[in-house]
Amino acid sequence: MPNARPALLLALVFAATLSPPLAAATRTAASRPAAVPAASSDASVDPDAVAALARMGKALRALPHFRLHATTSTDYVLDDGQKVALAGTVDYKVSGPDRFFVEIQSEQQHRQLFYDGRQLTIYSPRLKYYATLDDLNRSSQALLADSASTYGLEFPLADLFLWGTSAFPTDGFQSALQVGSARIDGEATRQYAFRQPGVDWQVWISDATALPRQLVITSHADPALPTYQATLQWDTRRAVNASELAFNPAGATKIVFVPVALAAQDTPTGGN
């Protein structure tokens, strides 16, 4: 079939480049609260730190729309154990509970994703391929909560949609503490540090808005302890127009989206 190989290629490319492994580790750990003691039974869990997360989640859920620009640095571990940090950017435009656009850019990749409450379009501007998932009919929060397990797609900074919801439980923390105060791009913040099975992470929360301004995630899955860092700049005033969230397929080739699990089964053993 002429579309089989491009579909496979796109699925594998998206799997490799849309999946910040440290953000994935955060959600994986957070989804297993039953395997660890509840926060109330662990003296190393500061209730004030957990309450700060609740306030941040409430502030995020209250936003009717927002624009977000993040500068990121992701550690990749080479075969010899050496870590290489790759810089990039992530931009979100979000309108209401079920419409968003996200763009991921670096020297290694450029991806765009469009969601209109029903259809998710995944586009590679450099490859000029796009694929769609239809009839989803879900909120952005519900889509991002299980996009990895269902479709093999990890959205960068997806926790922004999950904090303060049942998809990000806080009773699985092994430790939680307030580190102190810091200024991020001149804005006063409070720094908090958390530990969950397999991952340590920190968040800097704005004193003025209760929104997160910086995030650092360190994975224990690799002995090299790779880290993902994102510094966040928010625009919550300007509305997001419908035209900014619409995908224009002109000049692009549509292919069939293959979930990563199926794509891996059909991976060719030879050739390019």
Side-chain angles (χ1 to χ4, degrees):
M1 295 177 62
N3 277 347
R5 189 167 179 82
L8 175 61
L9 170 64
L10 188 64
L12 295 177
V13 166
F14 282 138
T17 57
L18 285 182
S19 178
L22 307 175
T26 298
R27 283 191 295 284
T28 300
S31 66
R32 298 176 298 182
V36 296
S40 58
S41 65
D42 192 337
S44 66
V45 174
D46 182 352
D48 289 341
V50 178
L53 283 185
R55 289 192 298 273
M56 180 180 68
K58 183 177 180 180
L60 287 165
R61 302 286 76 75
L63 295 175
H65 52 74
F66 64 83
R67 301 166 188 265
L68 172 68
H69 175 74
T71 56
T72 66
S73 176
T74 304
D75 284 347
Y76 290 90
V77 182
L78 305 181
D79 290 342
D80 62 1
Q82 182 178 358
K83 289 190 292 187
V84 175
L86 300 181
T89 62
V90 176
D91 288 276
Y92 270 95
K93 297 178 183 179
V94 177
S95 179
D98 58 2
R99 285 171 169 77
F100 68 81
F101 163 80
V102 59
E103 184 167 32
I104 306 100
Q105 294 192 75
S106 70
E107 289 297 323
Q108 293 74 35
Q109 63 168 318
H110 185 191
R111 302 289 180 265
Q112 296 177 339
L113 296 98
F114 305 77
Y115 185 57
D116 63 5
R118 185 188 66 83
Q119 182 180 82
L120 175 67
T121 299
I122 312 160
Y123 177 50
S124 171
R126 295 177 186 173
L127 297 175
K128 302 298 183 184
Y129 285 138
Y130 75 96
T132 59
L133 293 170
D134 294 308
D135 299 321
L136 298 178
N137 300 317
R138 312 175 67 190
S139 68
S140 301
Q141 179 189 116
L143 173 65
L144 272 62
D146 67 2
S147 61
S149 59
T150 304
Y151 308 111
L153 292 175
E154 280 286 350
F155 288 78
L157 302 175
D159 295 302
L160 296 172
F161 295 81
L162 307 181
W163 275 316
T165 76
S166 59
F168 197 102
T170 58
D171 58 355
F173 291 144
Q174 296 171 319
S175 69
L177 66 149
Q178 180 177 332
V179 177
S181 301
R183 300 192 78 85
I184 305 296
D185 293 334
E187 184 172 355
T189 69
R190 295 181 188 272
Q191 178 184 357
Y192 299 89
F194 302 88
R195 170 164 288 181
Q196 297 172 227
V199 63
D200 293 344
W201 60 283
Q202 303 173 69
V203 62
W204 285 254
I205 302 176
S206 168
D207 289 348
T209 65
L211 296 176
R213 288 301 317 276
Q214 188 163 275
L215 180 68
V216 174
I217 304 169
T218 301
S219 172
H220 293 183
D222 190 300
L225 299 178
T227 294
Y228 174 83
Q229 178 171 329
T231 301
L232 314 179
Q233 297 177 337
W234 294 88
D235 179 352
T236 60
R237 295 184 178 182
R238 287 188 297 160
V240 177
N241 299 322
S243 60
E244 299 179 83
L245 306 178
F247 174 64
N248 182 358
T253 300
K254 184 176 182 179
I255 61 176
V256 177
F257 179 80
V258 179
V260 170
L262 295 179
Q265 295 174 9
D266 295 336
T267 302
T269 57
N272 295 321

